[in-house]
Structure formats: C-alpha cells, structure tokens
Amino acid sequence: MEFFNALFSAALDQNIVFGQLVGMVIVFLAAERPQDAFRLGGALWAACFAAGLIGWPVYAGILAPWGIDYMAPVVYLLVSAAVIFAGGAIAAASRARAERSRIYQLCALLAVNAAVLATPLSMAASADVATFDVALGTAFGTGMGIFIAVVAFAFIHDRIDERLVPGVLRGVPISLITAALMALAFTGVAGIAGGMFV
C-alpha cells in the first residue's frame, strides 16, 4: 500500500511539472507533435524511475551514512543522464548519420531536463522516504507525472486552433496560459490521490 500511496501522490498530488513548476522547458518543446510527446515523456519517465531505483539505495547505503547526503542530486542526475544516453545509443545504433545526430541532440536536451528534475526528485526521495517501496513509488510516480504532463500538454496544445487566438496571444503566450490552466487543474486534485491507499 505504501508503494501505491507514494506513486499516486507523486504523480498527481505533487506533480513535479505542474505542481512544482519544474521542467517546463521539456513540456513546451515536446508540445509540437503528440507523437513526439509519447517518446520524450516515456524517456523522462524511464530516466526518473531509474534514478529512483538506483539513486535511493546509493543515498541510503552510502551518502546518508557517510554524511554526504547533499550529493544526492548529483547521483540522481548521473543516473538519469546515463539512462537517457544509453537509450539514445540503442535507438541510434542502426540509423543513418543524420538521424543519429538528431537522436543525440535530443538526448542532450533530455539530459539537461533530467538535470533540472534531479534535484526535486532527490529531495522527494530522500527527505521523507523511510523504505525502498516508498522510494520506488515516488520515483515511478514522479516519472508518471512527467509523462502525463508532457502528453496532456501536447494534446491540448495540438487542439488549440491558432486562428481563433488573438494575434498577440499566439505562440508562447497561449502556451503559458494553457500551462497555467493545467497547473490549476492539477492543484484542484491535490490531496485526493495520496490518501486513496491509506
């Protein structure tokens, strides 16, 4: 039950993108096409889950006992970036040179966002987490929250007809308004999901 409580709390109640407004760059960049949002969101989900899966035991077994728990964001960042570049290398293995270059550029973008996301993920996983189940649920839920935010924003942004938007609000302003309304929607369900499995 602790796993599910941590999972839904991290994904919906404390959504790292819309609840804490961290990592909004990837949301705006992935909003061009919904097809890309699934890939980018899935890559960030895998990176966050791997960071929690590997980072929390390193934190609990090495960093906290040695008194260097302030290094937790660095561990989470390195694990996330390693997962992203390993996945990119596998995806680019049988592609043409131009396609490989594009995949590596995308991996660099995702790694930068993993760096931004590593700090709140490490704080969430190390501050009030007592067991590995809760850490695993928090990492998986954080990744799921990022995936939901990226995909939902991409689909909503795709449905906005730019011709109906006034000229001064086209582009980035309407994206910011949409993100603000989605953040309000996530704030509206805060406190509900985390208490379902108590």
Side-chain angles (χ1 to χ4, degrees), residues 37-176:
F38 281 106
R39 281 185 260 152
L40 294 174
L44 283 173
W45 188 351
C48 282
F49 181 61
L53 185 66
I54 298 168
W56 191 84
V58 170
Y59 171 83
I62 298 172
L63 301 180
W66 288 1
I68 53 171
D69 50 348
Y70 56 87
M71 294 295 291
V74 175
V75 171
Y76 280 79
L77 164 65
L78 292 175
V79 172
S80 298
V83 168
I84 288 170
F85 280 109
I90 292 169
S94 62
R95 306 285 173 114
R97 183 177 179 167
E99 186 70 18
R100 275 199 312 262
S101 174
R102 192 183 72 77
I103 289 173
Y104 290 141
Q105 287 175 351
L106 183 62
C107 286
L109 174 69
L110 287 171
V112 168
N113 279 281
V116 171
L117 297 169
T119 302
L121 179 61
S122 66
M123 289 177 173
S126 62
D128 56 354
V129 173
T131 64
F132 184 65
D133 290 344
V134 176
L136 200 61
T138 301
F140 193 77
T142 301
M144 186 186 341
I146 294 167
F147 180 78
I148 290 170
V150 168
V151 171
F153 187 81
F155 275 96
I156 290 172
H157 190 269
D158 191 51
R159 300 282 300 179
I160 294 174
D161 191 356
E162 290 281 336
R163 294 172 296 172
L164 300 177
V165 177
V168 296
L169 292 178
R170 290 187 183 149
V172 174
I174 195 66
S175 297
L176 291 172

